[in-house]
């Protein structure tokens, strides 16, 4: 199946194995048209190496497709490059959380239609959970007793943050549009599931 030209162009602009990511998506669509997409490239630099990662978020009428391509962390130094891929499709009505956070500059002067300078998208469907633990206290600042640990668990399968300072305002606008389209699609999928 041929992918939409704008998706192919975004994969090529990301510059990280675009043909490989295109192949994963084409194999996963099963003939469904692409309603919306967002391509995110992420690079981590440490003392010894550079790790790259691309994720393509693709919305269809029934599913959210995620295609990931990563540098292989166990590739032999100086050897041929290797990439590890994974793909996942989540039925829209299974998405438990579609949380969109937006950051605006000069909120006192906000007018409808102003674009955010940062957008975060948090998605959960029960595949992963994050645990935050902390030591409990009794409230007495001089107490040296061990009160155990407390904490919280959060369903958080994907967290994506796009900032105008890092990726540019055009990327923020694209993720905002994708998030709005995804929220609408999930809303309508849930309505259909209730009928």
């Amino acid at each position: 199946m041929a992918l939409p030209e704008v998706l192919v162009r975004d994969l090529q602009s990301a510059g990280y194995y675009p043909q490989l990511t295109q192949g994963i998506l084409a194999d996963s669509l099963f003939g469904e048209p692409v309603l919306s997409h967002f391509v995110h490239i992420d690079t981590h630099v440490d003392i010894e190496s550079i790790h790259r990662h691309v994720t393509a978020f693709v919305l269809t009428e029934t599913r959210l497709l995620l295609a990931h391509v990563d540098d292989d962390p166990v590739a032999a130094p100086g050897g041929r490059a290797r990439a590890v891929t994974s793909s996942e499709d989540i039925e829209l009505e299974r998405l438990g959380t579609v949380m969109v956070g937006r950051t605006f500059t000069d909120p006192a002067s906000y007018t409808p239609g102003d674009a955010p300078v940062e957008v975060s998208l948090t998605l959960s469907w029960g595949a992963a959970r994050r645990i935050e633990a902390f030591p409990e206290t009794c409230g007495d600042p001089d107490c040296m007793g061990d009160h155990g640990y407390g904490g919280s668990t959060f369903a958080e399968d994907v967290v994506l943050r796009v900032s105008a300072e890092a990726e540019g305002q055009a990327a923020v606008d694209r993720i905002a549009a994708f998030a709005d389209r995804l929220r609408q699609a999930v809303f309508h999928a849930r309505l259909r599931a209730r009928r």
Side-chain angles (χ1 to χ4, degrees):
M1 174 179 189
L3 300 178
E5 285 183 30
V6 65
L7 173 53
V8 171
R9 189 170 54 246
D10 287 351
L11 291 169
Q12 290 172 344
S13 292
Y16 181 68
Y17 303 128
Q19 290 81 8
L20 180 58
T21 312
Q22 288 173 45
I24 294 166
L25 290 172
D27 290 344
S28 301
L29 282 170
F30 307 125
E32 280 193 292
V34 173
L35 302 180
S36 185
H37 75 275
F38 184 74
V39 176
H40 186 255
I41 185 80
D42 196 13
T43 304
H44 298 276
V45 180
D46 60 32
I47 293 173
E48 298 175 1
S49 59
I50 297 173
H51 302 280
R52 298 168 297 169
H53 174 89
V54 68
T55 302
F57 297 76
V58 174
L59 176 64
T60 73
E61 293 172 355
T62 63
R63 301 173 291 151
L64 173 64
L65 302 175
L66 301 177
H68 303 278
V69 178
D70 291 280
D71 286 323
D72 185 352
V74 295
R80 295 182 69 183
R82 291 173 27 141
V84 177
T85 68
S86 66
S87 61
E88 185 169 10
D89 60 335
I90 304 100
E91 296 170 353
L92 293 176
E93 60 272 9
R94 279 190 49 222
L95 280 167
T97 300
V98 180
M99 184 171 68
V100 181
R102 295 178 178 89
T103 303
F104 294 89
T105 54
D106 195 15
S109 300
Y110 173 82
T111 57
D114 285 354
V117 294
E118 183 177 298
V119 171
S120 62
L121 177 62
T122 302
L123 305 173
S124 68
W125 56 93
R129 297 193 69 78
R130 176 173 55 94
I131 298 174
E132 288 187 1
F134 51 85
E136 290 284 1
T137 65
C138 66
D140 178 358
D142 296 323
C143 180
M144 300 299 286
D146 183 355
H147 298 286
Y149 282 83
S152 301
T153 64
F154 302 92
E156 192 174 86
D157 294 300
V158 172
V159 178
L160 176 65
R161 179 179 163 267
V162 180
S163 168
E165 287 184 25
E167 291 96 350
Q169 187 61 46
V172 174
D173 296 343
R174 286 194 307 273
I175 190 61
F178 175 79
D180 288 343
R181 188 74 189 265
L182 177 61
R183 289 178 68 204
Q184 290 174 20
V186 169
F187 172 78
H188 291 294
R190 289 177 183 159
L191 283 180
R192 285 190 301 272
R194 289 183 195 141
R195 291 182 186 150

